[in-house]
Every structure is written in structure tokens, then in C-alpha cells.
Amino acid sequence: TYIVTDNCIVCKYTDCVEVCPVDCFYEGENMLVIHPDECIDCGVCEPECPAEAIKPDTESGLDDWLDLNRKFASIW
Ligand code: SF4
């Protein structure tokens, strides 16, 4: 899955939301998150993000962000 990380905070471009084929972005007040169970791993959103906030969860050190994306995607 792909996840949204800290560069998204207060960025609020939504180019990524527009290209996602499965609508798995959720919007909070200060950032977006991706629902990790709905993301189909297509990778289309990653280059669209002007803040380079979207990363594959295979990158190291992102466990906390993965948890945060999952948590808020089910609340928002
Ligand atoms: Fe949506 Fe694809 Fe990005 Fe996952 S990788 S959030 S399915 S655009």
C-alpha cells in the first residue's frame, strides 16, 4: 500500500485524490490519508504529489505513519 506522510500537513493539494482509481483518500483538516486496505498499490498518486508526501509502505521507518493512515482513514 501507499501512505501519506508528514509533508502533506497543511499542503492540501488534492492532485492525488483526483487520480486515485479507487477513491481511497480521506481528507482531514490538516492533511490527507490513504486507507491502506483500500489502496490497490497502483502507484499513480505518488508522482502527482507536489510535496512528495506519498510513499510506499515498503520504505523503512514508516510504521507509525501506516498506523496513522489506517486509523484516520476509518474515522474521516
Ligand atoms: Fe490510490 Fe493507487 Fe495511490 Fe493507492 S497507489 S492511493 S490506489 S492512486
Side-chain angles (χ1 to χ4, degrees):
T1 185
Y2 280 73
I3 52 178
V4 183
T5 62
D6 49 350
N7 280 0
C8 180
I9 297 169
V10 196
C11 160
K12 301 286 280 194
Y13 282 96
T14 53
D15 308 47
C16 52
V17 178
E18 280 156 38
V19 297
C20 179
V22 294
D23 275 337
C24 63
F25 280 90
Y26 294 82
E27 189 168 355
E29 277 194 21
N30 295 320
M31 69 176 291
L32 304 166
V33 292
I34 291 170
H35 197 309
D37 302 328
E38 294 173 7
C39 173
I40 57 170
D41 236 355
C42 72
V44 170
C45 58
E46 188 184 16
E48 296 298 323
C49 177
E52 297 185 10
I54 301 173
K55 311 232 163 97
D57 76 333
T58 46
E59 240 177 66
S60 64
L62 295 179
D63 287 356
D64 289 348
W65 282 105
L66 176 60
D67 291 347
L68 186 146
N69 275 248
R70 177 173 278 111
K71 178 179 166 194
F72 287 107
S74 39
I75 296 173
W76 291 341

